[in-house]
Structures are given as structure tokens and as C-alpha cells.
Amino acid sequence: MENFQISAWAGAGQKVLRSLNLRSEEVERTVLMFLVYTLTSVGLIWLELSTVGLFLDEYGADKMPYIYIASAFIGSGLGFVYSWLQKILPLRRTVVVVLGMMSVPLFLFRFGIGYENTKIAGISIAFITIFLMWLWVEACYVLNDLNTSITSNQLFNIREIKRTYPLVSSGYLVAGVVSGFSLPVLLHVVGLKNVTVISGLMVAIGSVLLYYLTEKYSQAFPETAHWTDDDEDDQEEFTARKVTGPLQKYAVPLVSFFVLAEVLYVLVDFQFYSQLEYQNPGDGASWIASFLGIYEGIQGLFQVATQWFASSRLVERIGVFVTAMILPAGIAILGVLTIGASLGQLVSVFIGLILLRFLDELLHYTLLETVSPVLFQPIPDNIRSGIQTLVNGVGEPLSCGATGVGILIMLWVTGKILPEQNEKAFHDQQSLIFIAAIVVLALLWVFVVWLIRSQYVGLLVKSAERGRLGVTDVDLKALKRAVVETLEQPGGEEEKRSCIELLTQIDPKNVGEVLAPLLDTLSPVLQRQSLETMLQHPNPAYLQAVRTLSQQSLPPEVLALALRYIWLTEAEPNIDNLRPYLQPTVDPVVRGTAAALILRRGDRQQKAEATNTLRQMLTHKQERERVMGTRALGEADYLQGLRLYIPNLLQDESLRVRCALLDVISSTHSEEYYPSLLRGLGYKSTRDAALQAIVKLHNDAIPLLMYLAEDIHKSDLVRLQAWTALGQIGTVEAIDILVSNLMTAWGTTRRNILRILLKMPSEAGIEGVLDRIGRSGLETLIEQELMFIGQIYAALVDLSGVTSYGNFSDREANSTRQPGNDTAQLLQRALAGLEADAKERCFLLMKFLYPLDTVQAAAFNLASAQPSLVARGLEILDNTVDIASKRSLINLLDQHSEREKLSNLSELMVYKPLPPSDRLRRLLELRHFLSDWALACCFHLAREARWSLTAQQTLVCLQHPTGFVREAVLAYLKIASPRALVELLPRLQNDPDNLVSAQVEEMMAELGTSPKR
């Protein structure tokens, strides 16, 4: 019963994780980061709302523009400080120090608030303190977001962060709810001026929790300070990149989009606080802070609900650009309604601004945050980060400062032009002017979104043409519009082909929606491509468009595709319409297609007529007739009497016929001919055709492929083709097979499986590995490779002194050739090759956890002989890798001696020096991990050095599938145990390897053993 409850809880936990799109090994890190971000955000929001209350009560909203202007500079200044800290401290210390530094001034502010009457240069210390508090809150928000982003990027790799960061970042929204509703209670308990101390405690607790997190996952952070090598070169390289042409036309409105978002946010924020100042019923700052707390809590609830349940779904349903227009359009409409209702005295300006700010805050941190990454998608990777930095790091802070200056100017102008009246009426009229400006800017924002959309379409087309646009986070509706516009306009066919290919890749099931109406206007080449694409998912909705096309004069290939589409989608096809195409004068492509279609659903007489047509084509003297007839067999449901021609066609002199027949065997599931598909993998001429045919069998081919892949007597090339076919099949079952063999295979087989999984489209192989064995499983595989490399180093160290041997005969010892030295060097070179292979497998395994280009860059630099490049490669890994054996891996890749590397691997394996003969026997115990050549070198060295090996090692290797390994074992036995060799030789006479059988005959003649009769 207890076990049942445990399994029930485990099952429920897995369901919760799946609903959150989390893996079990990510839960602890995600929860801890969520808590850190939530705790610090709660403290900062408490401080912000209290500061606003104090500021508005004491000094009024007209001083707020100075806050906006000052905050424009403090952001860039703190960014410089953050960068400087990374250069002098390791990153895991930097993130904790920054969070700790954020909390220290919060305790000090409490002492400055009480000095209202003490002044410096005519300004009270209290005003300076509250002013600095507001600036510090703004700065802390920047630092907190930056800290959270950097720490998350270190704790989670690029694939994990897609799942975990939305949950971590929602900590701010949750903090808004918690802090908002708790602030009135907190004010009642501790008082407004003491909130700064409580806020400081919350941030300090967050920093302690972050310290624990960075210590527990210390391997996720680089041990050294941020690298500075070649920073100037990198900067020059970045600045040398110019944004010109269509990119420039796109970048300008893109930057304007985010600038206008920030400008409107500041204007609405200022007017909201300005109106709030005049709504104070007399309770002072505490009332303002309490009101803001309740407001923040209610708003936070809506934000959390929108972010978790509505944002992504809304983008999918109505598209990126309609979603992007919701906020500016909503602001414009609500602003106009506020002006009208206020002038008609239906609603006060304050109520209108509450609604306006609620809408802005709600959508700014939900829909806008969801849409923003998609807008950067068409920009090439090499300049995307630069433009994002320009937007977020320069554009937004400067626009905030410029808006502050603009507000001061507008306050001065409105003070001059508005008539003198009571303060409340004057303030309301001033607010209406600001709201009118907000409406104008919101309409301008809508126009900017429209500009972005038009340029977005053009860049999508260019990106598709150059083959560098990914298939994730793309606005599908905009893409379809782009394809239609491109296909309708005159232009090069390559560009149009690229658009169709991209659309097929992104939305294959609905591609006919775009292509069917355009079939009449496309060139024959594009018509063929479009029909082939539509045939992958035939839909009766587009039948009429294809039927209309088939009635035109078309090339044979296009007509054949159109007939096939009509036949597959028409409910009751008229076979009599196909019979005219059976005439000998019709092109073989169309004739074969018509015959195959009639064989599917015709009556007995019609099938007989179609069968006779195909029989004539299959026996025709012309190669093209036989090829087209053979291809038509694959479209028929039943081969019937035509099956008799398959054996002859398999021996046909035409390679094209034989390759076409392999596809027929697959399409018709002719199981008796499946061995022909496997044989086809062994010949270069038919390998590609056989591979494609086997892949078409999907899961039915898995048993055949496993038989081939696990046959150690087959060549590595044929076994590689079997693994490749499994990867191209790509079903859940195929991935299961690949991953399970990845865990048990070694050497070349493991390397091949890793490469195949990495090449699978849409990262299906990578996700398949992570879903099945997870991050911990990959770390185990990397540790296996490191331990194997440790055994190689131990062998290289222990065998390094082997140059001559005391047990050589005098003739061998006096020989200038020194055969023992030669064989020792051969083995050392073989071991060095194994080391290189194991390192390559380590890099392949790391590609499942980290960005492929980053791992590739590290491998490229480490492969260089230049110390500076090697150092850069190590630093890339230091700042990327976060596995538990990170230190061992980096030290192993560094330029140290084998002995130093062995000591660095002490956490994974303990090295004990052994005599050379014992070390060689130890290597043979690891024979399953050695390459064939290294195994042969072990026996050659044992023969030359007169070292004894165990009987088990010798007999097992005598049955090795590789011939030259058996040769080496026989040569060893000739020296080590002639008696045993005499008994074994008769059994080896019929060895499949000619060299081994010749060696056996020679040895039998030398030893006087009579051959078997």
C-alpha cells in the first residue's frame, strides 16, 4: 500500500511537471531562482510604492521629470559597474555581491528620511534621500533583472531556459500581487518610513538564497573573472558590421517601436502620479502608498493571469502584429474616451488615467514582452544581439531621459498658455493636453507597427532565399502573406522556390491554402514543386484548382502530379477519364501514372488493360520506358501479376531501373524482397536509393536495421547506413533504439549515433535524448569518456619508458631496428588516436546541452596549436559548461603533460603506476573500448616484448571480427604458446579473411601440422 501511494505521488508529480513544461532535474534550480527573484522584487516594490507616496506627498509630481532624466544616466552607469565587477570577480561572486550591494543603501535611507529641516546647499537631506531612493529603486530594477537574466543563463543551458525562464520571470508578477496586498498591512505595522528597512531585509534574504544557489551549482559558473582577451578586436569586429539596405529600413522602425513604448509608458506614469497627488484626502503619504499597494495587487493578479494563460495563445490566434497593435490602439481609444468623458464631465480625469495606466502596465509586461523576441527574428544572428543591445541598453534609457525633458517643456508651455483658474481645474486641463499628446504618440506607434510589418515581410523573403531563417517564433500569417506577394510578383525562381520550401517546412499541412490559388500563374518548375508539396497532405478543398490546371497544356511531369492529386482527393473518380492516357503515344510519365491509378480502383477489365500497359513498359527496350513503368509500380496498391517481373528488374542493366525498383519494394511493402533493400546499402551505386526506400518503411524497417547495425561482421560503413536510416525515420520508436544504443555502444558506433541524433531536424534527436536520459545521463556519458581518457593517459605514462627489453634474444637486442621501440610507438600513436576520438565524443555530447555554435567554436580554438587560441577555447568552455566534472574536463583539454592530466582526473579515477606488462594486460581488459588497430598493437607489443597475456584475453581476441586483429593474435601465439597454436590452427583454416587463412597455412607448414581434409 505504501509503495502504491509513493508511485501515485510520483505519477502526480510527473503530471505537474509536464503541465509546467519542466523536467525533474530542473525543478530545484527553477524554484530557487523563482524565490530569489520573487523575494527581491517584493522588497523593491514595497520600497518603490513607499517612495512614491513620500515623494508625492512632500514634493509633488512636478519634480518627477528630474527622476526620469537622472534615471537615463544611472542605467548606463550601473551597466559599466556591473561589467567592471565581472572583470575583477568570478561571476558567481559578482551576482551575489551585486544583490548584496542593492540591499545596503536601503538600510541607510531610513536615517536620511527623518532630516526634513537639515539642509545642504538649501536642499533638505530628506528631499535628497527620497530623490536618491527613487533613483536607487529604478537602478535596482535594472540590476535585479540583469542579475536574474545572467544567473539564469548560467544555471540553465539554452534548451532548458526556454522552459524555465518564463516561470522564473513570472516571479516579478507574483511579487506584484504579494507586495501590493501586503503593503497596507505592513504600513500599519511598521509605518511608512520603516518600510525601507523591511525592503532591505527582503533583498538581503534574496542575496543569501542566491549565495546558496551559486555555491550548490558552482560548476555552472566560470572560476575566473570575465575574459578580456581580444575585447578590442571583438569590438572592432562588431562596429565594422553595418546595417544597410532592407535591414536598415527594418531596424529604424524597430528601434522606434521600443522607444515609443518607453515614451508612452513614462508619460502615462507621470500623469497617473500627477493626478494621484491631487486626490490625497489628507492622510498623506501613507494613503498614497496604501492605494498604490491595492492597485498593484489587483493589477498583478491580472498580469499573472494574462501572462500564464493568454499571451502566447493570443499571439498564435491573431498573429504578432495584431497583438503588437493592441496596446497602442487601446491607449489611443481609451485616451480619446477619457478626453471626451472629462470634457462632458461624465468621468473624472483621474479615473481615465487609472484605466489608462492599468491597460499600459497590464499589456506592457505581458503581450509586449511576448511579442518583442519575435520582432528580432528576421535579423541575422551575427548582428541581432547588437541591435537588441542598442534597443534595450541605449534606446530605452535615452528615451526615458528625453521624455523627462519633454515633460518639463510641456509643463512650462502649458503654464504659459492655459488661462488662470483654480489649481484643480488648471491641473485637469494640463492633464488633458498630456493625454492628447499620448493619443497622438499612440497613433504614431500603430503606424510604426505597420511599417515593421511591411519590412518584416520583405526580410522574411530575403531570409528564406538565403536559407538562414529559423522555423521557430515566426509569425505564420505574415509569412504566408510574404509568400503570396513574392510568388505573385515577377522575380527569380530561386527566391520563389526558397519561399515554398520554407512554407512547406513551417506549415506543411496547410501549404495548399497558399499555393493552390497560384498554380495557374506559376512556371512549370514551380508548379511541379507546389504539387509535390501539396501531395504530401492532399486536401479536397483545393481539388478544383488542380482540376483546372490539369485541363491546360502541361509538361508530362506536372500533368502526372495533377492526375495523382485529383485521384487522391476526388470522392468518386471517373476512371474513363484516365483511359486515354494509356495510349502508347502518351509520354511514359503520364502513361505509367494513369496505369497505376487505374490499378487501384478500376474494375477487372480496366485493371487488365492497365496491367498490360505496365507489362509493355517494364519489358520495353528503352530505359526511360522501363524506369517510368517501374516507378508506376510503386503507386499501385497491388502488384498482382506484375510481381513476376521484379526478379528480372533487380538484375536490370540500368541503374535507374534498379534504384526505382527499391522504392517500389518499399512502397508496396513486399517483405520477401526486403533483403534486397539491405543489400542495396552495401553498394555505392544503390546506397542512396536503398536508404530512402528503407526510411519510407518507417517502423517496419526497425527490426531489419537493428539486425544490420548490430552485426559486428558487417563493415562500419554498412552499419553506419543502418544507424543513419534509423535517424531519418525519426519516430519515437527509432529514437528509443538510438538512445538505448547510445548508452551501451562505444567508439565509432557511439560517435555515429551522436552525430545522427544531432542532425535530426527540429532538434528532435536532442530533445529525444534529454527526454529519455536527461542531463544527468549525458553527464554520465561524458564522465565515462573522461575516465576512458584517464586510462589512456595511464597507459601512455606507464609505457612511455618502453624502448628495449631485457628478454629479447641477442640477435633482436643487437639489431639497430629496435622492433620493440617500433611497436611501442605504434601503440602510443594508436592510444593518442583513441584520446582524440574520446575528446570528439565529449564535444558531441556537450552539443546536446549547450549551443552547437559555442561548442564548435571552443573545439575549433582548442584544435589550434596557438596558445592564445587554446586559451580562448578553454575560456569559452569555462563560461559555457556547467557539468559536475567541468574542472576535470577543462584541465584535460589544457596543454598539460599526461601526468598532470592524470592528477586532474583524480576525482573520476585513481591512478596507480603499473609495470609496462601489467599495464598492457590492463588495457586488454578494456578491449571493448579499444579500436581494432589499438587492440592489434597490444598483441604486437606483447609479442615483441615477450610479455605473457591471459588465455582468456588471447582466445577472445582470436575470435575478433577484424582480420588484422586475428593476425596479431596468431603472431603473438607463435612466440608465446606454440603448443596452443598447434591445437588452434586447424580450426582457423577456413578463416573468411584471405590474409589470415594464408597466415594459418604458413604457420601450419612451419609447425608441421597437417591440414584438415
Side-chain angles (χ1 to χ4, degrees):
M1 183 66 183
E2 184 178 350
N3 291 335
F4 175 77
Q5 290 178 343
I6 292 174
S7 61
W9 278 108
Q14 288 299 319
K15 289 180 181 179
V16 171
L17 291 180
R18 280 195 295 270
S19 67
L20 293 174
N21 195 23
L22 278 181
R23 295 192 175 102
S24 56
E25 55 200 7
E26 301 163 353
V27 172
E28 184 178 23
R29 287 172 289 160
T30 305
V31 170
L32 287 173
M33 274 305 303
F34 175 83
L35 289 176
V36 170
Y37 194 36
T38 303
L39 288 172
T40 53
S41 297
V42 166
L44 293 178
I45 293 173
W46 279 344
L47 181 65
E48 178 192 20
L49 300 182
S50 303
T51 304
V52 171
L54 287 168
F55 191 93
L56 294 181
D57 182 59
E58 296 289 340
Y59 309 107
D62 57 337
K63 303 292 191 305
M64 286 178 60
Y66 298 105
I67 298 285
Y68 300 139
I69 296 172
S71 64
F73 299 99
I74 196 168
S76 57
L78 288 173
F80 172 79
V81 172
Y82 202 107
S83 177
W84 172 75
L85 280 174
Q86 291 184 61
K87 293 180 181 179
I88 63 172
L89 292 174
L91 186 57
R92 67 191 177 101
R93 298 282 181 251
T94 301
V95 294
V96 177
V97 167
V98 166
L99 207 56
M101 287 171 53
M102 285 167 50
S103 65
V104 173
L106 305 186
F107 297 103
L108 301 178
F109 287 145
R110 173 63 187 90
F111 301 102
I113 296 175
Y115 292 93
E116 291 89 351
N117 300 322
T118 306
K119 297 184 178 181
I120 299 177
I123 305 175
S124 71
I125 294 179
F127 175 79
I128 297 174
T129 301
I130 296 173
F131 186 84
L132 291 177
M133 282 171 60
W134 199 330
L135 282 182
W136 188 246
V137 168
E138 296 295 328
C140 285
Y141 277 132
V142 174
L143 288 176
N144 195 31
D145 291 343
L146 186 60
N147 224 36
T148 303
S149 176
I150 289 176
T151 308
S152 298
N153 278 315
Q154 291 296 136
L155 288 171
F156 306 102
N157 61 50
I158 193 170
R159 295 177 182 88
E160 293 172 337
I161 205 162
K162 292 178 182 179
R163 293 185 297 273
T164 59
Y165 195 70
L167 294 173
V168 172
S169 61
S170 65
Y172 176 78
L173 302 179
V174 174
V177 177
V178 174
S179 59
F181 288 122
S182 62
L183 183 58
V185 179
L186 187 67
L187 291 174
H188 178 73
V189 174
V190 301
L192 180 62
K193 294 182 179 180
N194 294 318
V195 170
T196 58
V197 178
I198 306 300
S199 299
L201 286 174
M202 294 296 289
V203 178
I205 293 171
S207 65
V208 171
L209 192 58
L210 184 61
Y211 174 78
Y212 166 77
L213 184 60
T214 56
E215 286 297 314
K216 182 166 185 179
Y217 295 95
S218 59
Q219 72 274 9
F221 298 87
E223 291 292 331
T224 57
H226 195 281
W227 68 92
T228 56
D229 294 345
D230 300 320
D231 277 352
E232 294 181 0
D233 295 340
D234 294 342
Q235 184 65 23
E236 289 176 4
E237 180 185 355
F238 172 75
T239 53
R241 299 182 185 131
K242 297 200 181 284
V243 181
T244 57
L247 277 177
Q248 187 178 39
K249 292 180 181 178
Y250 184 77
V252 171
L254 182 63
V255 174
S256 302
F257 176 89
F258 291 97
V259 167
L260 283 170
E262 186 68 17
V263 169
L264 282 170
Y265 181 83
V266 172
L267 284 174
V268 172
D269 194 60
F270 168 73
Q271 276 304 303
F272 172 76
Y273 287 135
S274 181
Q275 280 289 325
L276 184 61
E277 176 190 356
Y278 285 89
Q279 306 302 319
N280 192 340
D283 295 338
S286 295
W287 179 88
I288 295 176
S290 299
F291 173 83
L292 289 175
I294 300 297
Y295 174 86
E296 188 75 24
I298 296 172
Q299 181 178 265
L301 286 175
F302 280 90
Q303 285 178 326
V304 171
T306 304
Q307 181 70 5
W308 286 1
F309 305 111
S311 293
S312 58
R313 292 178 176 85
L314 194 62
V315 172
E316 290 175 2
R317 189 170 294 252
I318 66 175
V320 170
F321 296 103
V322 176
T323 305
M325 288 182 182
I326 290 177
L327 178 54
I331 289 175
I333 294 171
L334 199 55
V336 171
L337 292 176
T338 299
I339 293 173
S342 300
L343 292 176
Q345 296 184 348
L346 299 175
V347 177
S348 68
V349 179
F350 179 58
I351 298 298
L353 280 168
I354 287 178
L355 297 176
L356 203 58
R357 187 175 189 268
F358 185 88
L359 177 71
D360 194 17
E361 287 271 347
L362 174 64
L363 301 185
H364 191 96
Y365 291 104
T366 54
L367 294 187
L368 199 62
E369 292 293 327
T370 304
V371 166
S372 297
V374 184
L375 299 180
F376 290 98
Q377 181 69 22
I379 300 175
D381 293 341
N382 61 333
I383 61 173
R384 184 183 301 161
S385 60
I387 292 181
Q388 283 182 293
T389 303
L390 177 69
V391 169
N392 299 323
V394 179
E396 290 182 353
L398 287 181
S399 61
C400 180
T403 306
V405 174
I407 291 173
L408 288 175
I409 294 173
M410 288 184 68
L411 289 175
W412 181 81
V413 171
T414 54
K416 295 293 184 181
I417 63 173
L418 288 177
E420 293 185 5
Q421 50 194 318
N422 67 72
E423 189 175 3
K424 180 72 169 58
F426 172 82
H427 191 73
D428 285 346
Q429 290 186 13
Q430 193 180 57
S431 293
L432 291 177
I433 293 175
F434 272 92
I435 294 174
I438 289 171
V439 170
V440 172
L441 289 173
L443 294 174
L444 179 61
W445 193 4
V446 172
F447 175 70
V448 167
V449 174
W450 180 84
L451 282 179
I452 291 176
R453 180 208 165 276
S454 62
Q455 298 301 323
Y456 182 90
V457 166
L459 278 180
L460 281 173
V461 175
K462 293 294 181 184
S463 299
E465 181 184 359
R466 296 168 188 169
R468 56 173 168 76
L469 181 64
V471 298
T472 58
D473 296 330
V474 172
D475 185 358
L476 193 56
K477 292 185 178 180
L479 178 61
K480 288 183 178 180
R481 286 193 295 267
V483 172
V484 171
E485 293 175 10
T486 304
L487 295 178
E488 288 179 342
Q489 295 173 358
E493 286 199 358
E494 286 302 318
E495 183 178 347
K496 296 180 179 181
R497 285 179 64 86
S498 299
C499 286
I500 295 175
E501 290 172 2
L502 181 62
L503 184 60
T504 305
Q505 185 181 6
I506 294 176
D507 192 22
K509 293 184 178 180
N510 301 311
V511 71
E513 178 185 349
V514 175
L515 298 179
L518 302 173
L519 285 174
D520 291 340
T521 62
L522 299 177
S523 67
V525 174
L526 295 176
Q527 286 174 339
R528 179 176 179 178
Q529 182 189 9
S530 300
L531 287 171
E532 288 174 345
T533 301
M534 293 168 62
L535 276 167
Q536 296 176 9
H537 299 279
N539 190 332
Y542 317 122
L543 173 61
Q544 188 57 44
V546 179
R547 192 193 302 278
T548 303
L549 179 70
S550 67
Q551 296 170 357
Q552 302 176 8
S553 177
L554 299 172
E557 292 81 3
V558 179
L559 178 58
L561 291 170
L563 292 176
R564 189 178 301 125
Y565 192 92
I566 293 170
W567 185 265
L568 291 174
T569 55
E570 199 167 28
E572 297 181 0
N574 188 353
I575 296 178
D576 291 334
N577 293 336
L578 293 176
R579 295 181 70 182
Y581 295 111
L582 298 180
Q583 300 301 320
T585 55
V586 176
D587 189 276
V589 177
V590 180
R591 195 183 339 139
T593 300
L597 295 176
I598 291 174
L599 280 177
R600 288 189 174 192
R601 296 165 76 174
D603 57 29
R604 175 177 257 175
Q605 181 180 356
Q606 291 165 340
K607 287 183 178 180
E609 187 177 354
T611 300
N612 185 54
T613 299
L614 286 179
R615 184 180 293 113
Q616 293 174 0
M617 295 179 68
L618 294 173
T619 57
H620 203 281
K621 293 183 179 179
Q622 293 184 7
E623 181 193 38
R624 189 165 186 267
E625 291 276 349
R626 297 200 306 278
V627 170
M628 297 306 166
T630 304
R631 290 180 180 175
L633 292 179
E635 301 172 14
D637 282 342
Y638 304 100
L639 296 181
Q640 300 173 353
L642 297 172
R643 190 180 297 272
L644 299 174
Y645 293 92
I646 291 181
N648 291 332
L649 292 172
L650 284 171
Q651 305 297 324
D652 196 281
E653 62 182 9
S654 170
L655 175 62
R656 294 175 62 200
V657 172
R658 298 198 303 273
C659 290
L661 189 60
L662 295 177
D663 185 70
V664 171
I665 293 171
S666 172
S667 300
T668 57
H669 292 270
S670 301
E671 296 183 10
E672 65 270 31
Y673 296 108
Y674 283 175
S676 298
L677 298 180
L678 299 183
R679 284 195 295 272
L681 292 175
Y683 301 98
K684 183 178 180 181
S685 57
T686 57
R687 184 169 296 136
D688 291 339
L691 183 63
Q692 293 176 11
I694 290 173
V695 170
K696 285 177 64 176
L697 291 173
H698 297 291
N699 288 344
D700 291 344
I702 291 179
L704 300 172
L705 294 172
M706 286 309 302
Y707 168 78
L708 197 63
E710 294 176 348
D711 188 351
I712 60 175
H713 297 284
K714 296 293 183 182
S715 68
D716 288 341
L717 181 59
V718 172
R719 297 175 68 190
L720 171 62
Q721 297 303 315
W723 294 121
T724 302
L726 283 169
Q728 292 185 9
I729 289 172
T731 60
V732 174
E733 293 78 6
I735 296 177
D736 284 339
I737 294 292
L738 288 170
V739 175
S740 62
N741 279 273
L742 175 65
M743 300 296 291
T744 57
W746 193 260
T748 303
T749 301
R750 175 177 282 187
R751 182 194 64 192
N752 291 338
I753 294 175
L754 287 171
R755 288 177 175 174
I756 289 165
L757 288 167
L758 286 169
K759 289 180 181 178
M760 291 180 70
S762 302
E763 296 189 345
I766 294 175
E767 293 299 326
V769 171
L770 292 172
D771 287 336
R772 287 160 179 81
I773 65 174
R775 179 191 182 92
S776 57
L778 286 167
E779 289 193 27
T780 300
L781 294 179
I782 294 175
E783 289 177 0
Q784 286 180 2
E785 300 290 350
L786 295 180
M787 287 188 286
F788 177 60
I789 293 175
Q791 295 293 339
I792 293 174
Y793 289 150
L796 290 172
V797 169
D798 290 343
L799 296 174
S800 60
V802 177
T803 56
S804 60
Y805 308 96
N807 53 357
F808 282 174
S809 64
D810 292 339
R811 178 178 60 82
E812 289 172 324
N814 294 329
S815 171
T816 57
R817 183 166 166 263
Q818 288 188 327
N821 190 19
D822 290 345
T823 52
Q825 289 181 358
L826 282 176
L827 178 57
Q828 288 169 358
R829 285 199 291 269
L831 292 175
L834 290 176
E835 177 197 0
D837 291 342
K839 288 179 178 178
E840 181 187 2
R841 292 193 295 272
C842 285
F843 280 106
L844 289 173
L845 287 165
M846 284 190 283
K847 289 181 179 180
F848 286 84
L849 296 173
Y850 312 107
L852 274 68
D853 53 349
T854 303
V855 177
Q856 195 63 37
F860 175 79
N861 283 282
L862 288 167
S864 172
Q866 299 181 25
S868 60
L869 293 180
V870 172
R872 174 178 289 188
L874 293 173
E875 197 150 17
I876 291 173
L877 288 182
D878 190 20
N879 287 273
T880 303
V881 176
D882 58 353
I883 60 176
S885 53
K886 169 182 174 178
R887 286 295 105 205
S888 299
L889 174 66
I890 291 179
N891 289 325
L892 181 145
L893 296 172
D894 205 350
Q895 295 176 325
H896 299 306
S897 66
E898 282 83 4
R899 290 186 182 276
E900 290 174 320
K901 292 179 180 180
L902 269 175
S903 64
N904 291 326
L905 289 170
S906 58
E907 294 181 359
L908 298 175
M909 61 162 285
V910 178
Y911 166 66
K912 294 181 179 179
L914 294 175
S917 57
D918 290 344
R919 179 57 65 185
L920 188 69
R921 282 188 285 273
R922 173 60 180 155
L923 273 180
L924 287 175
E925 290 176 8
L926 301 170
R927 55 186 173 274
H928 298 294
F929 304 100
L930 301 182
S931 66
D932 297 347
W933 176 239
L935 196 57
C937 289
C938 288
F939 282 95
H940 285 305
L941 180 58
R943 175 178 59 85
E944 294 285 356
R946 304 296 197 276
W947 292 338
S948 63
L949 304 176
T950 66
Q952 181 187 9
Q953 292 171 346
T954 306
L955 292 176
V956 169
C957 292
L958 194 59
Q959 301 172 6
H960 199 278
T962 304
F964 60 76
V965 175
R966 299 196 297 275
E967 270 189 279
V969 177
L970 288 172
Y972 164 76
L973 282 174
K974 182 180 178 182
I975 299 297
S977 183
R979 287 186 181 181
L981 184 62
V982 169
E983 296 179 6
L984 293 171
L985 284 176
R987 306 177 190 175
L988 300 172
Q989 273 185 284
N990 299 321
D991 193 279
D993 190 293
N994 294 331
L995 292 176
V996 176
S997 61
Q999 182 187 24
V1000 169
E1001 290 183 8
E1002 182 182 349
M1003 286 183 172
M1004 292 179 71
E1006 290 180 8
L1007 297 173
T1009 305
S1010 58
K1012 286 177 88 176
R1013 297 294 181 187

